[in-house]
Amino acid sequence: MIKLKHQLVVALLFVLPMTSGAYAQQAPTTDDSGPVTCPPPPGESNEACPSPEGSQTAQAEPEPQPATPPPPAQYSAPPPHYMETEQYHIPWLAMTIGGGVDDFAGDTLRHSTQLGGSWNARLTIGQHNILAGEVSYIGSAQNINGLGIGTRSTIVGNGVQGDLRLNGTINSMFQPFIYGGAAWRHYSTTETPNAFADLATTDDVFEVPVGAGIATYFDGLTIDVRGEYRFAFGGNSNDNNGNSLDRWGATGNFGFEF
């Protein structure tokens, strides 16, 4: 019996060291084995250290804001030199020629002469303005019969005239107008009368023409018709006995404007 106990003690002494070593090798290491120093010393793992607050949670990204639409583009007119505009040229000068009929208004000369013809060349400045100016050459010719004058004699008048024209329209195809001005006319006869003639050989007369008319414009062309009366002053044949050198006339002109 004592021998059996002795053998059991020897067996336990042999087995116990072996089992304690194996247990030490198989026992897992846990965080409960002892206090952990954080942060760990250099070279040691920091798995046992708690993560900093909020480090395990991904930082929330800011919510995207709705895109702000760009402000509407402000329209600005292009510079003048880029503008493709057609500029309309307004003619300011017209040149015309024409003619018509006229006669003396005084009783004596009207009965001593026949209905005559007239002609003119006219330069108009500013025909598309309210107020225009005209410069003209004027001429006339008519047969005359009187005491001391041959039956085939002709009285011829030549002169110059300037007047202002007041237009009724400026941007219309048709343009009514009135005008008034001053003129100088020189009369002469084709045959020299004798001392008993009713008329002097030559005469110079100052005239004040007034009249009205209408003009039309089309593609650079201009046409006008007018009627007028001319008050005459001076002259050897202009007296109070019916020998007035006043005249009336009607003319038409054709030309171009620039």
Side-chain angles (χ1 to χ4, degrees):
M1 188 64 180
I2 295 172
K3 185 178 179 180
L4 179 60
K5 291 181 179 182
H6 179 71
Q7 292 177 349
L8 289 173
V9 172
V10 173
L12 288 173
L13 292 175
F14 178 77
V15 173
L16 284 176
M18 296 179 63
T19 57
S20 61
Y23 179 77
Q25 294 177 359
Q26 297 177 1
T29 303
T30 63
D31 292 339
D32 297 333
S33 60
V36 179
T37 302
C38 291
E44 294 186 7
S45 175
N46 63 346
E47 294 180 357
C49 294
S51 301
E53 184 179 357
S55 62
Q56 297 180 354
T57 304
Q59 295 183 357
E61 297 181 358
E63 296 182 359
Q65 298 295 328
T68 303
Q74 298 294 328
Y75 174 78
S76 59
H81 58 281
Y82 289 123
M83 298 179 66
E84 297 180 357
T85 58
E86 181 180 357
Q87 296 183 354
Y88 177 72
H89 172 68
I90 300 178
W92 63 277
L93 193 66
M95 298 185 65
T96 61
I97 58 174
V101 295
D102 64 359
D103 199 357
F104 290 105
D107 292 337
T108 301
L109 292 179
R110 186 175 70 251
H111 290 96
S112 300
T113 59
Q114 298 177 5
L115 182 67
S118 65
W119 57 90
N120 67 81
R122 181 181 302 121
L123 175 67
T124 304
I125 303 172
Q127 66 270 25
H128 293 287
N129 297 329
I130 291 295
L131 188 65
E134 295 179 329
V135 179
S136 307
Y137 157 75
I138 56 176
S140 62
Q142 58 195 121
N143 292 333
I144 183 170
N145 296 314
L147 179 61
I149 301 177
T151 56
R152 295 183 179 181
S153 182
T154 303
I155 181 170
V156 179
N158 291 282
V160 292
Q161 173 179 313
D163 60 74
L164 293 178
R165 190 172 102 181
L166 182 63
N167 296 316
T169 61
I170 58 176
N171 295 319
S172 176
M173 182 177 179
F174 297 98
Q175 182 183 70
F177 60 86
I178 59 176
Y179 65 94
W184 169 83
R185 189 191 299 261
H186 174 76
Y187 286 109
S188 62
T189 58
T190 57
E191 291 187 11
T192 303
N194 57 34
F196 298 98
D198 294 334
L199 295 175
T201 305
T202 62
D203 237 340
D204 292 300
V205 180
F206 175 77
E207 299 178 335
V208 177
V210 293
I214 185 169
T216 182
Y217 305 94
F218 177 75
D219 197 22
L221 303 179
T222 175
I223 300 174
D224 74 77
V225 293
R226 64 183 67 191
E228 64 184 10
Y229 189 91
R230 296 175 171 273
F231 298 93
F233 301 92
N236 297 325
S237 302
N238 206 12
D239 55 35
N240 296 325
N241 297 321
N243 293 326
S244 172
L245 293 179
D246 290 0
R247 301 182 69 90
W248 65 268
T251 59
N253 278 52
F254 170 83
F256 302 90
E257 59 176 355
F258 308 92

